[in-house]
Amino acid sequence: MDLRRAAPATAALLALTTACTGGTVQGTPGASGLRDPYFPKAGNGGYDVTHYGLKLDYAPGTGELSGTAEITATAGQDLSAFNLDLEGMEVESVRVDGKGARFNRVGQELTVRPSDELTKGRTFRTVVRYSGTPRSIEDPDGSEEGWIETDDGAVAVGEPQGSMAWFPGNHHPSDKAAYDVEIAVPKGYEAVSNGVLKSRTDRDGHTVFRWHSPEPMAGYLATLAIGKYAVTASRTASGLPVLTAVRPEEAADSAAALKRIPEVVDWGTRRFGPYPFSATGAIVEDDGTLGYALETQSRPIFSGAPDTELLVHEMAHQWFGNSVSPRSWRDMWLNEGFATYAEWLWAEEHGGPSAEKRFRTFYDEDTDADPEADGSYWAFPPADPPGAEHISDSPVYYRGAMVLHRIRQEVGDEAFFALVRGWAAAHRHGNADTKEFTAYAERQTGKDLSGIWETWLYGDGKPEE
Ligand code: ARG
Ligand code: ZN
């Protein structure tokens, strides 16, 4: 709690507490959630994580995952206790700066009480030793995420809340951190995560993979894919490492899209600005493993062979969503609107319909031209989904893309593309919300765009022409 913001009664009470304890300021517990409008318990208050070091061991036969999570964080207040999010698993021990800490668990909240209070500004290291059979988590919209077992292994996906199924952390997109993931699997298995492969070592019948993600990553974008994939490693012309891991059954159907990864990254670089991460690639699971694709950082996951448009969508998220991340889950349209609009842009530059034509198709609900143009995107305003079960619904994607096209219609191509690049640069490796976007768009283009915001972004129903 920040005393300057505390209600007078609370401040008085705290002053009294301080007086009674002889003048030493007493730390208070960090909040158990960040009050996200859709996932209020997601994330935790009072500290900011800078690095996760996960050292894990997975046994595909039994489904058992065990290991340690080493979490480096800075206290944002004097802390007597703090929370991590973890769903399922057994916690064996918690240490803070090398000393055993008390802990207890209620639902997804793992509360840690360090033996010494943590003063504001201090950087501290928490080591959680844990094990168990991680579970999948059902989203409010019915889709499965978290830890998903496959025929011969497992895959971890975390949007919006699945990452707490496989490691403890501050699981809200507003707290991004660097990652190192070390994973041991039985020899013969591959284990693929985000970022750059630092080493791959065989020891005692196991293979240990060490993955490094130096750029900040939101927890929901962390992944681990364990199984018998066909792995290929190469580099783009500019030297960016490309690593793909593909289910052999999907290899033939994936080949055409995957070989365009360097081209799509270069195209995104021209359109959106410098590629934000130190690696790229893809993971292709069997069809039906997830029922959706996810833009896992630097290495998106596909459930079955992707086509080029889907690849473009997930690659565009590397700029929009992964580098510029939402401040809360209310800002999801900034992820999906941009990624969907990127598909429209790619199409207009590669022999498909223009974005203007695609916009008309959707406005006119011309399902002959595009089966997705079914009018479902008028259901609610993209900047204000009516509940957690709607954050991945069609208004967030298609009407989100239409908002961007409306801006382009208003300001023209030159100003529009400068805006897109400027936005990606202004919040590179950070977070941003809808209000920051609308203010930025008006500042950058020098136009009053309030009509677009009122009808297209916040308005109910189909906007009039
Ligand atoms: N962000 C992913 C994409 O658009 C979709 C995730 C869907 N997740 C869900 N729980 N419905 O590529
Ligand atoms: Zn998307």
Side-chain angles (χ1 to χ4, degrees):
M1 175 184 292
D2 182 338
L3 266 180
R4 285 160 308 183
R5 278 201 232 138
T10 320
L13 189 64
L14 277 173
L16 190 65
T17 317
T18 307
C20 294
T21 53
T24 38
V25 177
Q26 295 248 305
T28 47
S32 62
L34 291 172
R35 302 199 195 174
D36 183 277
Y38 298 94
F39 297 91
K41 285 194 245 164
N44 305 283
Y47 64 94
D48 180 63
V49 179
T50 51
H51 183 262
Y52 290 91
L54 309 179
K55 287 200 171 83
L56 304 171
D57 197 306
Y58 187 65
T62 61
E64 173 100 359
L65 180 74
S66 61
T68 56
E70 185 178 294
I71 302 164
T72 308
T74 304
Q77 64 179 62
D78 292 333
L79 281 172
S80 56
F82 62 93
N83 278 22
L84 295 165
D85 297 318
L86 180 68
E87 181 73 49
M89 306 297 285
E90 286 274 314
V91 174
E92 286 148 26
S93 67
V94 181
R95 302 182 79 77
V96 177
D97 282 343
K99 287 192 192 171
R102 285 193 289 151
F103 64 91
N104 73 290
R105 305 189 65 187
V106 179
Q108 72 181 64
E109 300 300 330
L110 164 62
T111 302
V112 178
R113 186 171 287 278
S115 63
D116 301 322
E117 292 202 350
L118 302 165
T119 49
K120 182 176 176 176
R122 167 154 160 199
T123 295
F124 61 100
R125 215 176 36 167
T126 305
V127 178
V128 181
R129 177 174 292 281
Y130 64 107
S131 62
T133 312
R135 58 175 74 151
S136 71
I137 290 175
E138 190 182 324
D139 282 347
D141 74 0
S143 40
E144 291 292 317
E145 51 158 335
W147 190 265
I148 316 269
E149 291 195 4
T150 57
D151 286 349
D152 64 0
V155 59
V157 284
E159 188 180 37
Q161 49 172 356
S163 42
M164 64 182 173
W166 63 285
F167 66 99
N170 198 17
H171 290 309
H172 188 265
S174 58
D175 189 1
K176 298 165 52 158
Y179 281 69
D180 281 279
V181 177
E182 184 182 303
I183 167 79
V185 290
K187 213 162 172 254
Y189 286 83
E190 302 288 339
V192 181
S193 185
N194 316 84
V196 180
L197 181 62
K198 288 301 228 192
S199 67
R200 174 195 175 123
T201 333
D202 286 334
R203 73 173 181 224
D204 322 322
H206 282 75
T207 308
V208 181
F209 297 82
R210 284 171 55 237
W211 295 92
H212 178 57
S213 299
E215 300 89 10
M217 174 161 77
Y220 77 93
L221 298 167
T223 190
L224 194 51
I226 297 158
K228 300 195 170 167
Y229 304 92
V231 174
T232 66
S234 60
R235 280 181 189 270
T236 66
S238 62
L240 186 71
V242 185
L243 187 135
T244 64
V246 181
R247 289 280 167 194
E249 296 83 352
E250 298 293 331
D253 291 346
S254 302
L258 297 188
K259 81 166 189 278
R260 300 186 79 169
I261 289 174
E263 182 190 349
V264 173
V265 169
D266 287 348
W267 174 80
T269 302
R270 282 196 305 280
R271 279 293 174 223
F272 313 136
Y275 178 72
F277 304 113
S278 36
T280 186
I283 297 166
V284 182
E285 286 295 342
D286 283 327
D287 202 13
T289 304
L290 303 174
Y292 57 86
L294 188 65
E295 62 267 26
T296 38
Q297 193 145 304
S298 76
R299 195 155 291 122
I301 295 195
F302 300 94
S303 184
D307 59 19
T308 305
E309 282 210 350
L310 186 57
L311 176 71
V312 168
H313 180 108
E314 305 308 337
M315 285 298 178
H317 273 308
Q318 307 305 315
W319 285 263
F320 305 107
N322 300 11
S323 170
V324 184
S325 302
R327 240 181 239 295
S328 85
W329 290 111
R330 203 201 292 283
D331 305 308
M332 183 81 166
W333 83 275
L334 283 171
N335 287 14
E336 302 305 343
F338 269 105
T340 303
Y341 198 64
E343 295 177 55
W344 297 10
L345 289 175
W346 172 274
E348 83 176 358
E349 292 178 40
H350 294 82
S354 67
E356 176 65 22
K357 178 124 195 276
R358 194 91 77 122
F359 177 84
R360 291 290 347 158
T361 297
F362 276 77
Y363 190 81
D364 296 339
E365 301 170 31
D366 180 358
T367 46
D368 293 335
D370 187 332
E372 304 283 359
D374 60 5
S376 60
Y377 33 83
W378 308 129
F380 58 81
D384 195 18
E389 67 277 33
H390 296 295
I391 64 165
S392 293
D393 283 4
S394 83
V396 172
Y397 286 70
Y398 299 111
R399 195 164 155 185
M402 292 173 95
V403 170
L404 297 174
H405 191 71
R406 283 290 298 109
I407 301 171
R408 186 176 171 193
Q409 288 176 332
E410 213 64 34
V411 306
D413 279 8
E414 200 181 317
F416 177 74
F417 287 109
L419 164 64
V420 169
R421 274 192 295 273
W423 176 248
H427 295 281
R428 184 176 165 91
H429 297 315
N431 294 84
D433 64 20
T434 303
K435 285 266 177 287
E436 288 171 280
F437 176 74
T438 55
Y440 182 85
E442 297 197 337
R443 205 163 59 238
Q444 172 81 17
T445 63
K447 296 231 175 188
D448 173 6
L449 302 169
S450 54
I452 298 177
W453 315 142
E454 276 159 31
T455 48
W456 287 87
L457 195 50
Y458 294 111
D460 285 321
K462 179 175 178 173
E464 308 234 333
E465 292 225 55

